[in-house]
Amino acid sequence: MKLAVITDSSAYLSDESRGHDNLFVLDIPVVIDGVSYVEGKNLTAEEFYQKMEASSELPKTSQPSIAELEELLPQLEAKGYTHVLGIFLSSGISGFYQNIQYLKEEFPNLTIAFPDSKITSAPLGWMAEEAIKWAGEGRSFDEILANIQMQIDGTSAYIMVDDLNHLVKGGRLSNGAAILGNLLSIKPILYFNEEGVIEVYEKVRTEKKAIKRLAEIVKEGTADKDHQIIIIHGNALDKAETLRDILHQEGFAGEIPFATFGSVIGTHLGNHSVAISFVPKV
């Protein structure tokens, strides 16, 4: 088996994995003030947040290109790949997953799977990297798919945003929830539900209490098995460090890495967001 893993640029990937021969990333452009950018090519995450703050309107994003994926698959076949795992941002926040399913039947010489990740950002990148690792260990395609599904089913992510208007204007949260949060200075904790849709999980009165609550949620959610915990932030390193300090005080002794919300997810969450995700270890 020669496995190609395809994801999209909403996934947070390590520098090491980005250079892996068997990992392919579909671009999701971000348009700021009429100019199209692709993070990692003509835009850094830091530059994105600076440009977003300076802009009078929210950036715009699209979904990954189906045409780009359709062009990539025959190229993979020509390079001798026999199996393809495509794992992309949640169907709950993009129509891409539903729109590409027909491609599995278009290439009879490739065994193709497109599971719904129901997530994005660091957990999505972690799953893609794990699949590459398992393939290198000689695991079968069926075993890799089963492991990925186990991670999809067991992954959780909880988010505290600084300004709900980004999610409202992007169509990712109801307007009523945003108005309530902004008027009453409530810091809602959001989460990806079982369908991969962002919803309000709890409403907490202050940011300090919300960060502490995120740590409590992690403790509750990881009690029964071993997880990889990742803290993700959008230009909010101070909040990420505070959250990690609380987790260490609560007895989490393992490594808790930081990841950043890039331009694609940062467009919808806004500046100064912080999140915690935990993915089951296989």
Side-chain angles (χ1 to χ4, degrees):
M1 178 185 73
K2 185 177 181 181
L3 174 66
V5 176
I6 312 173
T7 188
D8 61 66
S9 57
S10 75
Y12 179 87
L13 298 164
S14 67
D15 291 338
E16 181 182 358
S17 64
R18 282 184 180 276
H20 201 288
D21 291 341
N22 298 335
L23 180 62
F24 302 85
V25 181
L26 302 182
D27 293 335
I28 303 179
V30 176
V31 178
I32 308 173
D33 293 330
V35 180
S36 182
Y37 299 92
V38 174
E39 191 172 332
K41 294 185 176 178
N42 62 347
L43 185 74
T44 66
E46 182 179 356
E47 289 170 342
F48 162 74
Y49 285 102
Q50 291 172 350
K51 290 180 182 295
M52 182 169 65
E53 283 289 285
S55 177
S56 60
E57 58 184 25
L58 290 180
K60 297 178 175 64
T61 63
S62 59
Q63 64 181 23
S65 168
I66 297 175
E68 184 181 355
L69 178 58
E70 199 164 7
E71 291 174 6
L72 176 59
L73 291 171
Q75 294 172 13
L76 296 176
E77 184 178 341
K79 292 178 180 178
Y81 286 95
T82 58
H83 294 71
V84 173
L85 169 63
I87 183 164
F88 307 101
L89 74 173
S90 169
S91 67
I93 56 176
S94 169
F96 188 68
Y97 164 77
Q98 289 92 342
N99 293 338
I100 62 174
Q101 295 303 316
Y102 77 95
L103 289 172
K104 293 186 292 188
E105 310 302 325
E106 298 289 311
F107 301 90
N109 294 327
L110 291 173
T111 301
I112 301 174
F114 295 142
D116 184 1
S117 73
K118 299 183 180 179
I119 203 71
T120 185
S121 191
L124 177 59
W126 176 266
M127 292 175 194
E129 291 170 348
E130 289 282 273
I132 291 288
K133 182 189 76 174
W134 294 326
E137 294 171 351
R139 304 198 192 195
S140 70
F141 191 58
D142 286 345
E143 183 180 1
I144 291 171
L145 288 183
N147 287 349
I148 288 292
Q149 193 60 53
M150 188 185 308
Q151 290 190 325
I152 290 171
D153 294 340
T155 292
S156 297
Y158 296 83
I159 312 156
M160 184 190 74
V161 297
D162 199 55
D163 183 357
L164 287 168
N165 285 323
H166 288 261
L167 280 161
V168 173
K169 291 179 180 178
R172 267 63 182 183
L173 192 67
S174 74
N175 190 43
I179 292 172
L180 180 65
N182 288 339
L183 286 181
L184 301 182
S185 299
I186 286 172
K187 287 293 182 183
I189 294 175
L190 314 175
Y191 80 120
F192 280 84
N193 67 17
E194 292 180 357
E195 286 74 44
V197 176
I198 298 175
E199 289 186 342
V200 175
Y201 180 72
E202 286 182 5
K203 295 171 184 170
V204 184
R205 176 63 67 180
T206 66
E207 182 176 288
K208 184 177 180 180
K209 289 180 179 178
I211 292 176
K212 186 174 181 181
R213 180 61 182 135
L214 286 175
E216 292 173 354
I217 291 170
V218 174
K219 192 170 185 179
E220 295 164 3
T222 60
D224 59 340
K225 62 175 66 173
D226 194 16
H227 291 74
Q228 176 61 54
I229 300 170
I230 308 170
I231 296 173
I232 317 161
H233 70 91
N235 196 28
L237 183 59
D238 55 340
K239 296 177 186 178
E241 289 175 337
T242 298
L243 179 53
R244 184 161 65 181
D245 288 344
I246 294 172
L247 288 170
H248 285 155
Q249 292 166 13
E250 292 291 331
F252 289 90
E255 182 185 3
I256 304 176
F258 289 161
T260 56
F261 285 120
S263 57
V264 176
I265 305 305
T267 291
H268 301 293
L269 298 183
N271 222 332
H272 310 306
S273 58
V274 66
I276 190 83
S277 68
F278 38 101
V279 185
K281 290 183 178 180
V282 178

